[in-house]
């Protein structure tokens, strides 16, 4: 490292993603079967692709306004009202971003001052910790437990609150556990958020992949709506990862501040992708349901199979990940994944990539074909039954 002293200490201390590290090793090997990556395996529905093509064909190749195309902001508000019964105004409460990823970054950079604490229920999506730290914040982990079905309980949440707490990150359905919060679960934590006056940052990117009942957004709770910040996007629900479109829904005063970062660093989300997103929000409900049904079937299959081969696996209520316990192997999660890759050419993600609370687990994405899932199960079974070397 030639620029040791010159590099910002915060950036220097950030650990590379535990997912990437693992897949870089996997990429150097031949014939690896991977159930590692968190993206839907469907090609984007044709009518949505066509909308992007049409926009380009018609010469819609210029910047849009900073907050995104008005028709997209309206479509997003209509969608939230229609699907989740939550009302926002297109003019005041929406900003279109480059994926949920940009949304997480600019929300945290807008609200955090150095030393502010953010409560992060873990195991958690890998980007949160890094982005909180890059914004100068401090992560306070709260362990989500399998016996609580990976929900955030009021008891554990309130214990983590201090006078420095600025926000809590809520990601339900969650990556990597598939945990979901119901209306009753939220009702128990909403008073804590209100009492301590902290921001509820709710990343609802997996909202449409909710398998028991329908998704409940914490933005439903009027008493904390002004301090609730919704993050969502098109990647998972419509299988549009490569388009890079997400959004933030929040109080006007927050949006006015968040847009300052966005306008200077990004300008606007990709124009052709925004046109595709308009088609998706307005005419994509049937696609969402078709893809979610396919994920539900794969979930049911993989959970049954994992339990059959001896890996105790909780039935996730959302997203497209399972989080089996590998404790019976006697190995740590990283060692388990390294040996599995070495002996069976199967790549999974070690649970500790998502925080210490994920130790003893692995994350398996089932956004793969049934054939790939079956092959992976055979490899896992062989690994468990024929001696881990
Ligand atoms: N939030 C969560 C919980 C995710 O799992 C992901 C993608 N893996 C994202 C946000 C970001 O997705 P995108 O930037 O594609 O919208």
């Amino acid at each position: 490292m030639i620029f040791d002293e010159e590099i910002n200490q915060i950036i220097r201390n950030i650990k590379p993603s535990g997912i990437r590290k693992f897949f870089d090793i996997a990429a150097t090997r031949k014939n690896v079967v991977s159930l590692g990556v968190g993206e839907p395996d469907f090609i984007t529905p044709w009518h949505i692709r066509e909308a992007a093509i049409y926009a380009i064909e018609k010469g819609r190749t210029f910047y849009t306004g900073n907050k995104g195309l008005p028709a997209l902001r309206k479509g997003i508000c209509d969608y939230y009202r229609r699907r989740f019964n939550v009302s926002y105004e297109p003019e005041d409460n929406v900003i279109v971003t480059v994926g949920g990823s940009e949304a997480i970054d600019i929300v945290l950079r807008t609200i955090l001052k150095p030393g502010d604490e953010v409560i992060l229920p873990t195991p958690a999506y890998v980007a949160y910790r890094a982005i909180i730290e890059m914004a100068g914040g401090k992560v306070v982990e709260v362990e989500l437990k399998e016996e609580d079905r990976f929900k955030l309980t009021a008891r554990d949440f309130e214990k983590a609150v201090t006078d420095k707490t600025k926000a809590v990150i809520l990601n339900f359905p969650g990556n990597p556990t598939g945990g979901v919060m119901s209306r009753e679960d939220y009702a128990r934590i909403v008073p804590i958020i209100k009492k301590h006056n902290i921001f509820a940052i709710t990343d609802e990117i997996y909202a449409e992949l909710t398998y028991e009942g329908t998704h409940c957004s914490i933005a439903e709770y009027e008493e904390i709506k002004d301090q609730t910040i919704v993050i969502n996007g098109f990647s998972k629900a419509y299988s549009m990862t490569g388009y890079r479109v997400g959004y933030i829904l929040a109080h006007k005063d927050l949006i006015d501040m968040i847009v300052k970062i966005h306008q200077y660093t990004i300008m606007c989300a990709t124009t052709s992708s925004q046109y595709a997103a308009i088609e998706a929000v307005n005419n994509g409900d049937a696609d969402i349901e078709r893809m979610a049904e396919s994920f539900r079937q794969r979930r049911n299959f993989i959970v049954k199979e994992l339990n059959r081969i001896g890996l105790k696996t909780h039935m996730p209520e959302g997203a497209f990940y399972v989080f089996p316990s590998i404790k019976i192997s006697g190995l740590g999660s990283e060692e388990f994944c390294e040996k599995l890759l070495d002996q069976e050419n199967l790549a999974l993600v070690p649970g500790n990539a998502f925080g210490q609370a994920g130790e003893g687990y692995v994350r398996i994405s089932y956004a793969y074909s049934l054939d790939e899932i079956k092959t992976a199960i055979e490899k896992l079974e062989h690994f468990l039954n024929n001696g881990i070397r």
Side-chain angles (χ1 to χ4, degrees):
M1 179 70 178
I2 56 169
F3 296 121
D4 232 21
E5 287 307 309
E6 291 82 351
I7 300 294
N8 176 340
Q9 289 289 322
I10 295 179
I11 305 300
R12 232 173 41 157
N13 292 340
I14 285 174
K15 291 198 203 78
S17 153
I19 303 184
R20 279 284 144 234
K21 185 180 103 188
F22 207 74
F23 283 89
D24 288 347
I25 308 174
T28 63
R29 302 169 59 106
K30 284 207 189 82
N31 303 323
V32 172
V33 174
S34 163
L35 297 193
V37 179
E39 77 177 326
D41 61 334
F42 298 98
I43 298 172
T44 309
W46 172 241
H47 64 110
I48 299 174
R49 280 184 277 159
E50 214 171 29
I53 295 166
Y54 187 72
I56 293 169
E57 210 173 79
K58 285 283 162 190
R60 294 175 186 147
T61 56
F62 301 95
Y63 294 131
T64 70
N66 295 133
K67 289 204 262 179
L69 289 166
L72 178 52
R73 284 183 278 136
K74 178 176 185 308
I76 290 166
C77 291
D78 292 347
Y79 165 86
Y80 250 77
R81 206 168 293 126
R82 178 172 80 243
R83 308 280 300 180
F84 310 127
N85 203 21
V86 173
S87 290
Y88 284 106
E89 293 305 320
E91 270 306 304
D92 295 337
N93 306 124
V94 191
I95 169 169
V96 177
T97 56
V98 178
S101 302
E102 189 216 345
I104 299 167
D105 180 38
I106 62 178
V107 162
L108 287 164
R109 278 202 281 158
T110 300
I111 64 171
L112 291 184
K113 294 197 293 290
D116 280 349
E117 293 178 357
V118 179
I119 295 179
L120 180 63
T122 55
Y125 173 46
V126 292
Y128 301 133
R129 168 179 280 280
I131 294 176
I132 292 164
E133 289 175 353
M134 285 193 266
K138 183 168 171 276
V139 173
V140 175
E141 292 192 11
V142 173
E143 186 180 347
L144 300 173
K145 302 186 191 82
E146 187 176 354
E147 69 250 33
D148 297 324
R149 287 151 66 211
F150 298 110
K151 295 165 185 284
L152 178 62
T153 64
R155 172 194 71 228
D156 294 344
F157 175 37
E158 190 147 33
K159 260 195 270 166
V161 177
T162 73
D163 56 4
K164 293 206 182 67
T165 307
K166 178 55 84 59
V168 57
I169 304 233
L170 302 166
N171 171 223
F172 300 98
N175 174 6
T177 64
V180 164
M181 294 280 280
S182 67
R183 202 155 275 115
E184 296 70 44
D185 298 324
Y186 278 131
R188 287 191 269 276
I189 68 164
V190 164
I192 302 169
I193 291 166
K194 178 148 183 71
K195 180 168 117 196
H196 298 281
N197 197 24
I198 56 188
F199 288 113
I201 302 173
T202 173
D203 178 346
E204 305 189 350
I205 200 126
Y206 295 103
E208 294 290 2
L209 302 175
T210 299
Y211 305 113
E212 318 296 333
T214 51
H215 172 71
C216 171
S217 171
I218 195 169
E220 262 189 24
Y221 290 82
E222 284 298 330
E223 61 268 44
I224 57 159
K225 191 159 176 203
D226 290 351
Q227 64 205 80
T228 297
I229 304 172
V230 176
I231 290 172
N232 207 327
F234 292 82
S235 289
K236 317 287 174 173
Y238 303 94
S239 202
M240 289 175 66
T241 45
Y243 291 75
R244 312 307 303 128
V245 192
Y247 52 92
I248 302 163
L249 300 170
H251 189 280
K252 178 182 188 308
D253 294 353
L254 276 169
I255 293 290
D256 288 348
M257 295 298 118
I258 294 168
V259 80
K260 290 190 195 181
I261 306 184
H262 179 76
Q263 76 182 9
Y264 287 120
T265 56
I266 304 288
M267 301 270 257
C268 65
T270 307
T271 302
S272 51
S273 295
Q274 290 193 50
Y275 281 101
I278 294 173
E279 174 63 19
V281 270
N282 290 339
N283 300 311
D285 289 6
D287 301 299
I288 290 176
E289 276 145 32
R290 173 177 53 82
M291 293 190 269
E293 184 49 36
S294 161
F295 285 130
R296 176 207 299 277
Q297 285 169 15
R298 293 184 240 181
R299 172 196 71 151
N300 293 350
F301 176 77
I302 196 167
V303 170
K304 189 167 84 310
E305 286 296 285
L306 286 167
N307 282 308
R308 178 184 65 75
I309 67 171
L311 293 181
K312 185 170 155 277
T313 306
H314 139 98
M315 177 65 85
E317 289 165 51
F320 42 58
Y321 308 102
V322 281
F323 207 59
S325 164
I326 48 104
K327 288 170 191 156
I328 67 157
S329 71
L331 301 176
S333 58
E334 227 165 302
E335 201 184 353
F336 184 92
C337 288
E338 276 162 22
K339 284 183 190 288
L340 186 63
L341 184 59
D342 209 43
Q343 289 178 222
E344 305 288 340
N345 260 346
L346 174 62
L348 307 179
V349 184
N352 68 354
F354 307 95
Q356 209 35 50
E359 185 48 73
Y361 295 86
V362 294
R363 188 191 78 173
I364 307 181
S365 162
Y366 54 87
Y368 289 87
S369 69
L370 265 185
D371 280 348
E372 287 166 295
I373 294 171
K374 281 179 189 157
T375 307
I377 294 286
E378 279 164 22
K379 284 174 175 289
L380 264 172
E381 190 170 18
H382 186 259
F383 182 65
L384 294 169
N385 290 347
N386 288 273
I388 302 168
R389 294 188 296 276

